[in-house]
């Protein structure tokens, strides 16, 4: 469900890196994960789709680093 919701939102904001909150963690999917791995030094997590992530406590630091590099960032709360 999270990946489907991500695509629905991403299709409207293709120029923005989406931090998708699931519990106490932010996940970053597909092409946004590519950016996070390249720009933030993240590694891909295991799974069927490309994704990476970080704990919610690091949101300010991670979003700030991307914004300072010229990226737009949005935080998304997962819905049922």
């Amino acid at each position: 469900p999270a990946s489907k919701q991500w695509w629905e939102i991403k299709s409207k904001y293709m120029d923005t890196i989406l931090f998708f909150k699931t519990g106490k963690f932010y996940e970053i999917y597909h092409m946004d994960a590519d950016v996070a791995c390249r720009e933030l030094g993240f590694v891909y997590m295991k799974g069927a789709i490309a994704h990476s992530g970080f704990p919610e406590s690091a949101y300010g630091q991670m979003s700030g680093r991307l914004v300072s590099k010229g990226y737009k960032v949005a935080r998304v709360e997962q819905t049922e």
Side-chain angles (χ1 to χ4, degrees):
S3 183
K4 182 181 178 201
Q5 289 176 354
W6 183 90
W7 276 115
E8 289 171 357
I9 297 166
K10 184 65 176 179
S11 68
K12 298 174 186 167
Y13 302 97
M14 293 301 289
D15 64 340
T16 304
I17 305 298
L18 299 182
F19 290 173
F20 203 82
K21 189 170 181 195
T22 54
K24 301 255 182 213
F25 200 74
Y26 284 101
E27 294 199 6
I28 307 165
Y29 296 101
H30 303 287
M31 68 278 279
D32 291 349
D34 294 337
V35 172
C37 289
R38 183 178 63 248
E39 300 289 350
L40 301 174
F42 288 4
V43 296
Y44 294 102
M45 296 164 49
K46 291 183 180 180
I49 60 171
H51 69 292
S52 61
F54 59 91
E56 70 177 337
S57 60
Y59 172 78
Q61 178 186 8
M62 297 304 134
S63 61
R65 285 173 61 190
L66 287 175
V67 168
S68 72
K69 293 179 180 215
Y71 293 94
K72 292 181 184 178
V73 176
R75 175 172 36 190
V76 179
E77 297 282 335
Q78 184 178 10
T79 59
E80 297 295 324

